[in-house]
Short mmCIF file of all heavy atoms in Angstrom, two decimals:
data_model
loop_
_atom_site.label_atom_id
_atom_site.label_comp_id
_atom_site.label_asym_id
_atom_site.label_seq_id
_atom_site.Cartn_x
_atom_site.Cartn_y
_atom_site.Cartn_z
N ARG A 1 -16.76 -4.49 -11.72
CA ARG A 1 -16.38 -3.09 -11.48
C ARG A 1 -14.98 -2.93 -10.91
O ARG A 1 -14.51 -1.80 -10.73
CB ARG A 1 -17.41 -2.45 -10.55
CG ARG A 1 -18.80 -2.43 -11.21
CD ARG A 1 -19.82 -1.79 -10.37
NE ARG A 1 -19.57 -0.34 -10.37
CZ ARG A 1 -20.19 0.51 -9.58
NH1 ARG A 1 -21.09 0.10 -8.73
NH2 ARG A 1 -19.91 1.79 -9.63
N LEU A 2 -14.31 -4.02 -10.59
CA LEU A 2 -12.99 -3.93 -9.96
C LEU A 2 -11.93 -3.32 -10.89
O LEU A 2 -11.18 -2.44 -10.49
CB LEU A 2 -12.54 -5.30 -9.46
CG LEU A 2 -13.39 -5.89 -8.34
CD1 LEU A 2 -12.87 -7.27 -7.96
CD2 LEU A 2 -13.41 -4.98 -7.12
N ILE A 3 -11.85 -3.80 -12.12
CA ILE A 3 -10.83 -3.29 -13.05
C ILE A 3 -11.05 -1.82 -13.37
O ILE A 3 -10.10 -1.03 -13.31
CB ILE A 3 -10.73 -4.18 -14.30
CG1 ILE A 3 -10.13 -5.53 -13.88
CG2 ILE A 3 -9.89 -3.52 -15.39
CD1 ILE A 3 -10.03 -6.56 -14.97
N PRO A 4 -12.29 -1.37 -13.67
CA PRO A 4 -12.49 0.07 -13.89
C PRO A 4 -12.12 0.91 -12.66
O PRO A 4 -11.71 2.06 -12.80
CB PRO A 4 -13.98 0.18 -14.20
CG PRO A 4 -14.36 -1.14 -14.76
CD PRO A 4 -13.50 -2.12 -14.00
N TYR A 5 -12.24 0.34 -11.46
CA TYR A 5 -11.88 1.07 -10.25
C TYR A 5 -10.37 1.22 -10.09
O TYR A 5 -9.88 2.16 -9.49
CB TYR A 5 -12.46 0.37 -9.02
CG TYR A 5 -12.18 1.12 -7.74
CD1 TYR A 5 -12.95 2.22 -7.36
CD2 TYR A 5 -11.11 0.75 -6.92
CE1 TYR A 5 -12.68 2.92 -6.21
CE2 TYR A 5 -10.83 1.45 -5.76
CZ TYR A 5 -11.62 2.53 -5.41
OH TYR A 5 -11.34 3.23 -4.26
N GLY A 6 -9.60 0.29 -10.64
CA GLY A 6 -8.15 0.37 -10.53
C GLY A 6 -7.49 -0.94 -10.12
O GLY A 6 -6.27 -1.00 -9.96
N PHE A 7 -8.28 -1.98 -9.94
CA PHE A 7 -7.70 -3.30 -9.63
C PHE A 7 -7.03 -3.84 -10.88
O PHE A 7 -7.41 -3.53 -12.01
CB PHE A 7 -8.80 -4.28 -9.18
CG PHE A 7 -9.22 -4.12 -7.75
CD1 PHE A 7 -10.09 -3.11 -7.37
CD2 PHE A 7 -8.76 -4.99 -6.77
CE1 PHE A 7 -10.49 -2.95 -6.06
CE2 PHE A 7 -9.15 -4.85 -5.47
CZ PHE A 7 -10.02 -3.84 -5.09
N VAL A 8 -6.04 -4.69 -10.68
CA VAL A 8 -5.34 -5.37 -11.77
C VAL A 8 -5.60 -6.86 -11.60
O VAL A 8 -5.50 -7.39 -10.49
CB VAL A 8 -3.82 -5.09 -11.71
CG1 VAL A 8 -3.08 -5.88 -12.76
CG2 VAL A 8 -3.56 -3.60 -11.85
N LYS A 9 -5.95 -7.54 -12.69
CA LYS A 9 -6.20 -8.97 -12.61
C LYS A 9 -4.88 -9.71 -12.76
O LYS A 9 -4.16 -9.52 -13.73
CB LYS A 9 -7.19 -9.42 -13.67
CG LYS A 9 -7.64 -10.84 -13.44
CD LYS A 9 -8.90 -11.17 -14.19
CE LYS A 9 -9.33 -12.57 -13.76
NZ LYS A 9 -10.49 -13.03 -14.47
N GLU A 10 -4.58 -10.54 -11.78
CA GLU A 10 -3.38 -11.38 -11.79
C GLU A 10 -3.84 -12.81 -11.60
O GLU A 10 -4.18 -13.21 -10.48
CB GLU A 10 -2.42 -10.96 -10.67
CG GLU A 10 -1.88 -9.55 -10.84
CD GLU A 10 -0.96 -9.11 -9.71
OE1 GLU A 10 -0.64 -9.94 -8.82
OE2 GLU A 10 -0.57 -7.94 -9.71
N LYS A 11 -3.87 -13.56 -12.68
CA LYS A 11 -4.43 -14.92 -12.72
C LYS A 11 -5.88 -14.85 -12.28
O LYS A 11 -6.67 -14.19 -12.92
CB LYS A 11 -3.59 -15.88 -11.89
CG LYS A 11 -2.16 -16.02 -12.43
CD LYS A 11 -1.38 -17.05 -11.68
CE LYS A 11 0.04 -17.09 -12.26
NZ LYS A 11 0.87 -18.05 -11.59
N SER A 12 -6.26 -15.51 -11.19
CA SER A 12 -7.66 -15.49 -10.76
C SER A 12 -7.90 -14.47 -9.64
O SER A 12 -8.96 -14.47 -9.01
CB SER A 12 -8.08 -16.88 -10.29
OG SER A 12 -7.34 -17.25 -9.15
N LEU A 13 -6.93 -13.59 -9.39
CA LEU A 13 -7.04 -12.61 -8.31
C LEU A 13 -7.15 -11.20 -8.87
O LEU A 13 -6.61 -10.89 -9.92
CB LEU A 13 -5.82 -12.68 -7.40
CG LEU A 13 -5.51 -14.02 -6.74
CD1 LEU A 13 -4.19 -13.94 -6.00
CD2 LEU A 13 -6.63 -14.44 -5.82
N TYR A 14 -7.82 -10.35 -8.11
CA TYR A 14 -7.88 -8.92 -8.41
C TYR A 14 -7.07 -8.20 -7.33
O TYR A 14 -7.31 -8.40 -6.14
CB TYR A 14 -9.32 -8.42 -8.39
CG TYR A 14 -10.16 -9.00 -9.49
CD1 TYR A 14 -10.83 -10.21 -9.31
CD2 TYR A 14 -10.28 -8.35 -10.71
CE1 TYR A 14 -11.61 -10.75 -10.32
CE2 TYR A 14 -11.05 -8.89 -11.73
CZ TYR A 14 -11.72 -10.09 -11.53
OH TYR A 14 -12.48 -10.63 -12.53
N VAL A 15 -6.10 -7.39 -7.74
CA VAL A 15 -5.18 -6.76 -6.80
C VAL A 15 -5.24 -5.24 -6.96
O VAL A 15 -5.19 -4.72 -8.08
CB VAL A 15 -3.73 -7.25 -7.04
CG1 VAL A 15 -2.77 -6.60 -6.07
CG2 VAL A 15 -3.66 -8.76 -6.94
N TYR A 16 -5.35 -4.55 -5.82
CA TYR A 16 -5.35 -3.08 -5.81
C TYR A 16 -4.29 -2.62 -4.82
O TYR A 16 -4.24 -3.11 -3.69
CB TYR A 16 -6.72 -2.55 -5.38
CG TYR A 16 -6.80 -1.05 -5.35
CD1 TYR A 16 -7.00 -0.32 -6.52
CD2 TYR A 16 -6.67 -0.36 -4.15
CE1 TYR A 16 -7.07 1.06 -6.49
CE2 TYR A 16 -6.74 1.03 -4.13
CZ TYR A 16 -6.94 1.73 -5.30
OH TYR A 16 -7.01 3.09 -5.27
N LYS A 17 -3.44 -1.69 -5.25
CA LYS A 17 -2.40 -1.14 -4.37
C LYS A 17 -2.52 0.37 -4.35
O LYS A 17 -2.79 0.99 -5.37
CB LYS A 17 -1.01 -1.54 -4.85
CG LYS A 17 -0.74 -3.02 -4.76
CD LYS A 17 0.66 -3.35 -5.23
CE LYS A 17 0.91 -4.85 -5.18
NZ LYS A 17 2.28 -5.19 -5.57
N SER A 18 -2.29 0.95 -3.16
CA SER A 18 -2.37 2.40 -3.02
C SER A 18 -1.46 2.85 -1.88
O SER A 18 -1.45 2.25 -0.81
CB SER A 18 -3.81 2.80 -2.73
OG SER A 18 -3.91 4.21 -2.60
N LEU A 19 -0.72 3.93 -2.13
CA LEU A 19 0.12 4.52 -1.09
C LEU A 19 -0.72 5.46 -0.24
O LEU A 19 -1.65 6.09 -0.74
CB LEU A 19 1.27 5.30 -1.72
CG LEU A 19 2.29 4.48 -2.51
CD1 LEU A 19 3.27 5.41 -3.22
CD2 LEU A 19 3.03 3.52 -1.61
N PHE A 20 -0.38 5.56 1.05
CA PHE A 20 -1.02 6.53 1.93
C PHE A 20 -0.04 6.92 3.03
O PHE A 20 1.09 6.43 3.06
CB PHE A 20 -2.35 5.98 2.49
CG PHE A 20 -2.23 4.78 3.38
CD1 PHE A 20 -2.33 4.90 4.75
CD2 PHE A 20 -2.05 3.51 2.86
CE1 PHE A 20 -2.24 3.80 5.58
CE2 PHE A 20 -1.96 2.40 3.68
CZ PHE A 20 -2.05 2.55 5.04
N MET A 21 -0.47 7.83 3.90
CA MET A 21 0.41 8.41 4.93
C MET A 21 1.65 9.01 4.27
O MET A 21 2.79 8.72 4.64
CB MET A 21 0.79 7.39 6.01
CG MET A 21 -0.37 6.89 6.85
SD MET A 21 -1.23 8.16 7.79
CE MET A 21 -0.01 8.64 8.97
N ASN A 22 1.40 9.84 3.24
CA ASN A 22 2.47 10.52 2.50
C ASN A 22 3.49 9.54 1.91
O ASN A 22 4.69 9.82 1.89
CB ASN A 22 3.17 11.55 3.38
CG ASN A 22 2.24 12.68 3.77
OD1 ASN A 22 1.45 13.14 2.96
ND2 ASN A 22 2.31 13.11 5.02
N GLY A 23 3.00 8.40 1.45
CA GLY A 23 3.87 7.41 0.81
C GLY A 23 4.63 6.52 1.76
O GLY A 23 5.43 5.70 1.32
N LYS A 24 4.41 6.64 3.05
CA LYS A 24 5.13 5.81 4.02
C LYS A 24 4.58 4.39 4.12
O LYS A 24 5.30 3.46 4.50
CB LYS A 24 5.08 6.46 5.40
CG LYS A 24 5.85 7.77 5.44
CD LYS A 24 5.77 8.40 6.80
CE LYS A 24 6.64 9.64 6.80
NZ LYS A 24 5.97 10.83 7.23
N LEU A 25 3.29 4.23 3.77
CA LEU A 25 2.66 2.92 3.83
C LEU A 25 1.96 2.63 2.50
O LEU A 25 1.53 3.54 1.81
CB LEU A 25 1.63 2.88 4.97
CG LEU A 25 2.17 3.10 6.39
CD1 LEU A 25 1.01 3.18 7.38
CD2 LEU A 25 3.14 2.01 6.79
N GLU A 26 1.86 1.33 2.19
CA GLU A 26 1.15 0.91 0.99
C GLU A 26 0.11 -0.14 1.38
O GLU A 26 0.42 -1.12 2.05
CB GLU A 26 2.11 0.30 -0.03
CG GLU A 26 1.40 -0.15 -1.29
CD GLU A 26 2.33 -0.75 -2.31
OE1 GLU A 26 3.12 -1.65 -1.95
OE2 GLU A 26 2.30 -0.31 -3.46
N ALA A 27 -1.12 0.09 0.95
CA ALA A 27 -2.20 -0.86 1.16
C ALA A 27 -2.31 -1.75 -0.07
O ALA A 27 -2.20 -1.27 -1.20
CB ALA A 27 -3.51 -0.14 1.40
N GLU A 28 -2.53 -3.02 0.16
CA GLU A 28 -2.78 -3.96 -0.94
C GLU A 28 -4.04 -4.74 -0.59
O GLU A 28 -4.13 -5.34 0.48
CB GLU A 28 -1.60 -4.91 -1.10
CG GLU A 28 -1.82 -5.94 -2.19
CD GLU A 28 -0.65 -6.89 -2.33
OE1 GLU A 28 -0.21 -7.45 -1.30
OE2 GLU A 28 -0.17 -7.08 -3.46
N ILE A 29 -5.02 -4.69 -1.47
CA ILE A 29 -6.26 -5.42 -1.31
C ILE A 29 -6.31 -6.48 -2.39
O ILE A 29 -6.12 -6.18 -3.58
CB ILE A 29 -7.50 -4.50 -1.44
CG1 ILE A 29 -7.42 -3.33 -0.45
CG2 ILE A 29 -8.79 -5.29 -1.28
CD1 ILE A 29 -7.48 -3.72 0.99
N ILE A 30 -6.56 -7.73 -2.00
CA ILE A 30 -6.63 -8.84 -2.94
C ILE A 30 -8.00 -9.48 -2.81
O ILE A 30 -8.44 -9.82 -1.71
CB ILE A 30 -5.53 -9.88 -2.64
CG1 ILE A 30 -4.15 -9.22 -2.73
CG2 ILE A 30 -5.64 -11.07 -3.59
CD1 ILE A 30 -3.02 -10.05 -2.18
N ILE A 31 -8.67 -9.65 -3.95
CA ILE A 31 -9.99 -10.26 -3.97
C ILE A 31 -9.93 -11.45 -4.92
O ILE A 31 -9.50 -11.31 -6.07
CB ILE A 31 -11.07 -9.26 -4.43
CG1 ILE A 31 -11.06 -8.04 -3.51
CG2 ILE A 31 -12.44 -9.93 -4.46
CD1 ILE A 31 -11.98 -6.93 -3.94
N ASP A 32 -10.37 -12.62 -4.43
CA ASP A 32 -10.37 -13.79 -5.31
C ASP A 32 -11.67 -13.84 -6.11
O ASP A 32 -12.58 -13.03 -5.92
CB ASP A 32 -10.10 -15.08 -4.54
CG ASP A 32 -11.21 -15.49 -3.58
OD1 ASP A 32 -12.35 -15.03 -3.72
OD2 ASP A 32 -10.91 -16.32 -2.69
N SER A 33 -11.78 -14.81 -7.00
CA SER A 33 -12.93 -14.91 -7.90
C SER A 33 -14.23 -15.22 -7.16
O SER A 33 -15.31 -15.05 -7.72
CB SER A 33 -12.67 -15.96 -8.97
OG SER A 33 -12.43 -17.21 -8.38
N LYS A 34 -14.14 -15.65 -5.91
CA LYS A 34 -15.34 -15.91 -5.11
C LYS A 34 -15.73 -14.72 -4.25
O LYS A 34 -16.68 -14.77 -3.51
CB LYS A 34 -15.11 -17.14 -4.24
CG LYS A 34 -14.91 -18.41 -5.04
CD LYS A 34 -14.65 -19.59 -4.17
CE LYS A 34 -14.39 -20.81 -5.06
NZ LYS A 34 -13.97 -21.97 -4.31
N GLY A 35 -14.93 -13.64 -4.32
CA GLY A 35 -15.23 -12.43 -3.56
C GLY A 35 -14.60 -12.37 -2.19
O GLY A 35 -14.87 -11.46 -1.43
N LYS A 36 -13.72 -13.31 -1.86
CA LYS A 36 -13.03 -13.29 -0.57
C LYS A 36 -11.95 -12.21 -0.59
O LYS A 36 -11.16 -12.14 -1.53
CB LYS A 36 -12.42 -14.64 -0.24
CG LYS A 36 -11.80 -14.67 1.14
CD LYS A 36 -11.31 -16.03 1.52
CE LYS A 36 -10.70 -15.93 2.90
NZ LYS A 36 -10.04 -17.14 3.32
N ILE A 37 -11.92 -11.39 0.46
CA ILE A 37 -11.00 -10.25 0.52
C ILE A 37 -9.88 -10.51 1.51
O ILE A 37 -10.10 -10.99 2.62
CB ILE A 37 -11.76 -8.98 0.94
CG1 ILE A 37 -12.87 -8.68 -0.05
CG2 ILE A 37 -10.81 -7.80 1.06
CD1 ILE A 37 -13.81 -7.59 0.39
N LYS A 38 -8.67 -10.15 1.08
CA LYS A 38 -7.49 -10.23 1.93
C LYS A 38 -6.74 -8.91 1.76
O LYS A 38 -6.70 -8.36 0.66
CB LYS A 38 -6.62 -11.41 1.49
CG LYS A 38 -5.43 -11.67 2.38
CD LYS A 38 -4.75 -12.96 1.98
CE LYS A 38 -3.52 -12.63 1.18
NZ LYS A 38 -2.68 -13.77 0.86
N GLY A 39 -6.20 -8.40 2.83
CA GLY A 39 -5.47 -7.14 2.74
C GLY A 39 -4.14 -7.20 3.45
O GLY A 39 -3.88 -8.09 4.25
N ASN A 40 -3.30 -6.23 3.12
CA ASN A 40 -1.98 -6.14 3.73
C ASN A 40 -1.53 -4.68 3.68
O ASN A 40 -1.80 -3.97 2.72
CB ASN A 40 -0.99 -7.03 2.96
CG ASN A 40 0.31 -7.18 3.68
OD1 ASN A 40 0.35 -7.27 4.90
ND2 ASN A 40 1.40 -7.20 2.94
N ILE A 41 -0.85 -4.27 4.72
CA ILE A 41 -0.23 -2.95 4.76
C ILE A 41 1.28 -3.17 4.86
O ILE A 41 1.75 -3.94 5.69
CB ILE A 41 -0.70 -2.11 5.98
CG1 ILE A 41 -2.22 -1.99 6.01
CG2 ILE A 41 -0.01 -0.75 6.00
CD1 ILE A 41 -2.81 -1.20 4.90
N THR A 42 2.04 -2.46 4.01
CA THR A 42 3.49 -2.62 3.99
C THR A 42 4.15 -1.27 4.24
O THR A 42 3.73 -0.25 3.68
CB THR A 42 3.95 -3.15 2.62
OG1 THR A 42 3.28 -4.38 2.36
CG2 THR A 42 5.45 -3.38 2.58
N ASP A 43 5.17 -1.27 5.08
CA ASP A 43 6.01 -0.10 5.30
C ASP A 43 6.87 0.05 4.05
O ASP A 43 7.61 -0.88 3.69
CB ASP A 43 6.87 -0.31 6.55
CG ASP A 43 7.77 0.86 6.87
OD1 ASP A 43 8.50 1.33 5.96
OD2 ASP A 43 7.77 1.30 8.02
N THR A 44 6.79 1.18 3.36
CA THR A 44 7.50 1.34 2.09
C THR A 44 9.02 1.47 2.25
O THR A 44 9.75 1.24 1.29
CB THR A 44 6.96 2.54 1.29
OG1 THR A 44 7.08 3.72 2.07
CG2 THR A 44 5.52 2.31 0.89
#
């Protein structure tokens, strides 16, 4: 269900990016093929 939700497959990872706080911050969620989740917030 990750790709239909908006994740993009990059090699063996599923990556989802979304802007929030009026575009000031970007969230990135990375899920590996085993279901391990890693996230990052970046100041745009």
Side-chain angles (χ1 to χ4, degrees):
R1 297 182 73 189
L2 295 178
I3 291 177
Y5 182 81
F7 280 79
V8 175
K9 190 163 186 183
E10 296 178 6
K11 298 184 181 180
S12 65
L13 303 174
Y14 294 88
V15 180
Y16 180 81
K17 294 181 182 182
S18 180
L19 295 173
F20 64 103
M21 295 299 292
N22 295 320
K24 293 179 176 127
L25 298 174
E26 180 180 51
E28 178 181 50
I29 305 294
I30 301 168
I31 303 175
D32 68 19
S33 59
K34 296 178 183 173
K36 185 175 179 187
I37 300 171
K38 185 172 102 173
N40 190 38
I41 305 293
T42 303
D43 181 309
T44 58

